[in-house]
Amino acid sequence: MATIRNKEISKTGGVCLSFVAVLAIAAATLFTSGKPVEELSENAAVGRKSVITAAGATLPLPFYSEAFKMYWEKNDIPVTYAGIGTERGFRSLKNQQIDFAGVDVPPTKAELDSLPVKSILVPTCMGAVTIAYNLEGVDNLRLTGELIADIYMGKILKWNDARIAAVNAGKQLPDKEIYPVFRLDGSGTTYIFSDYLTKVSTDWKAKIGTGKALTFPRGVAATGNTGVAGLVGKVPGAIGYVASEYAASFNTQSAWLKNAAGNFVQPTSESVTAVASVGDATGMITDSEVADAYPISCFTWVVLYKEQNYAGRSRSEAEETVKLLEWLISPEAQTITTQVQCSPLPEKAVEYAKNMLKEVTYDGKALRK
């Protein structure tokens, strides 16, 4: 935990409720739920109240913002979360600057081995990557994974390409150039998107592959989910990959994607949680074969140190961190997911998360039984 110093804290805690809030997230400003800094300073002066600090993935940021705001107000325990991306969040945890990191990609063995203390991975909610686009008069566009891969690799340059038209019978597709938008920063959203394309396109797998930061052959770069969603909304003919809650917040058009079962679906709470019926909560779940599953669905997790006695932390600080995460996977917190275009954890993922939190120790002794 850390004591807040010289941090501006928003009381709104809302999810992209204003243009100002959107810009704050896009700039990776500390976007947090809670109370004015004056109140926090007063609390810090009287009783030296600690603050639970976290940072990382932007995909679950709307959920974390609302959930942590509720937790703060219910328990008077200040919680902050900075949406700075999976890669930077993990680095902050490695440097022992935060209590836990938000990630959209399970850390590799090499990444886990690089941490100074053994860690655990706890699922917190489910999400999806939407294919957002900007084509006036063309709603309910249908796309396949192969088409998306070829658009981003520069093989398909116009919206009225015969291959796109073939899966959009009856639609008047414009003779307009396609402008792909991609993430500039190291991103879990990019990893999820490219993991899907690697599974459905042999050419993508051979030439681009899967990763948090990739070299895209063509297109326009943007930072964060807000940056991609905002750019797609402004540029006619643009296409981009964004977490579904950002597509909804920016009111962008969203494509229907063909899944492995041959059905065209959009990301909904039902089509995302359907994926979890055959997957588990520890890895990637893109391109599911479930009939009504959305093909670019994912879990999102937090990473925290299993042994909490590090960097001068007290036992009470460790206990408060675990209490927060136990509440985050509770029914009360999980109901917030659907309010912000995310999806709740299935019961088996909740049980897995509970078991992982039981492994957290302080001085080698379990904090929970």
Side-chain angles (χ1 to χ4, degrees), residues 324-337:
L324 167 67
L325 295 178
E326 287 177 333
W327 178 82
L328 193 61
I329 60 174
S330 73
E332 181 179 40
Q334 288 292 301
T335 58
I336 299 171
T337 59

Side-chain angles (χ1 to χ4, degrees), residues 146-185:
E146 294 88 346
L147 290 174
I148 297 167
D150 285 352
I151 286 171
Y152 271 88
M153 288 193 293
K155 292 183 176 183
I156 297 178
L157 302 176
K158 293 290 188 71
W159 279 111
N160 64 348
D161 184 279
R163 292 176 59 198
I164 300 178
V167 295
N168 288 279
K171 294 190 182 298
Q172 296 299 314
L173 301 173
D175 182 16
K176 182 184 288 292
E177 185 174 353
I178 302 175
Y179 298 101
V181 183
F182 58 86
R183 287 282 288 269
L184 181 64
D185 51 324

Side-chain angles (χ1 to χ4, degrees), residues 275-286:
V275 183
S277 65
V278 295
D280 60 37
T282 62
M284 305 304 295
I285 53 175
T286 57

Side-chain angles (χ1 to χ4, degrees), residues 36 44 61 80-81 87 190 219 243 253 264 266 272 280 285 312 327 361:
L61 175 58
T80 72
Y81 183 88
E87 196 168 73
T190 296
Q253 295 167 292
F264 285 91
Q266 279 200 317
V272 172
D280 60 37
I285 53 175
W327 178 82
T361 61

Side-chain angles (χ1 to χ4, degrees), residues 129-133 140-153 155-156 159 161-169 173 178 193 196-202 204 239-241 254-266 287 293-296:
V129 176
T130 293
I131 303 302
Y133 67 97
N140 299 313
L141 181 75
R142 292 185 169 196
L143 292 173
T144 67
E146 294 88 346
L147 290 174
I148 297 167
D150 285 352
I151 286 171
Y152 271 88
M153 288 193 293
K155 292 183 176 183
I156 297 178
W159 279 111
D161 184 279
R163 292 176 59 198
I164 300 178
V167 295
N168 288 279
L173 301 173
I178 302 175
F193 174 70
Y196 166 65
L197 294 185
T198 296
K199 292 176 180 176
V200 299
S201 168
T202 55
W204 179 278
I239 186 172
Y241 57 92
S254 299
W256 292 70
L257 299 190
K258 187 177 182 179
N259 66 16
N263 300 314
F264 285 91
V265 293
Q266 279 200 317
D287 198 34
Y294 182 71
I296 322 182

Side-chain angles (χ1 to χ4, degrees), residues 6-46:
N6 300 322
K7 292 181 181 177
E8 294 183 3
I9 297 182
S10 164
K11 187 176 176 63
T12 64
V15 180
C16 304
L17 295 180
S18 68
F19 186 64
V20 173
V22 166
L23 289 179
I25 302 173
T29 302
L30 180 63
F31 185 81
T32 172
S33 50
K35 305 177 181 180
V37 69
E38 291 80 10
E39 290 185 38
L40 190 59
S41 298
E42 181 179 347
N43 286 334
V46 181

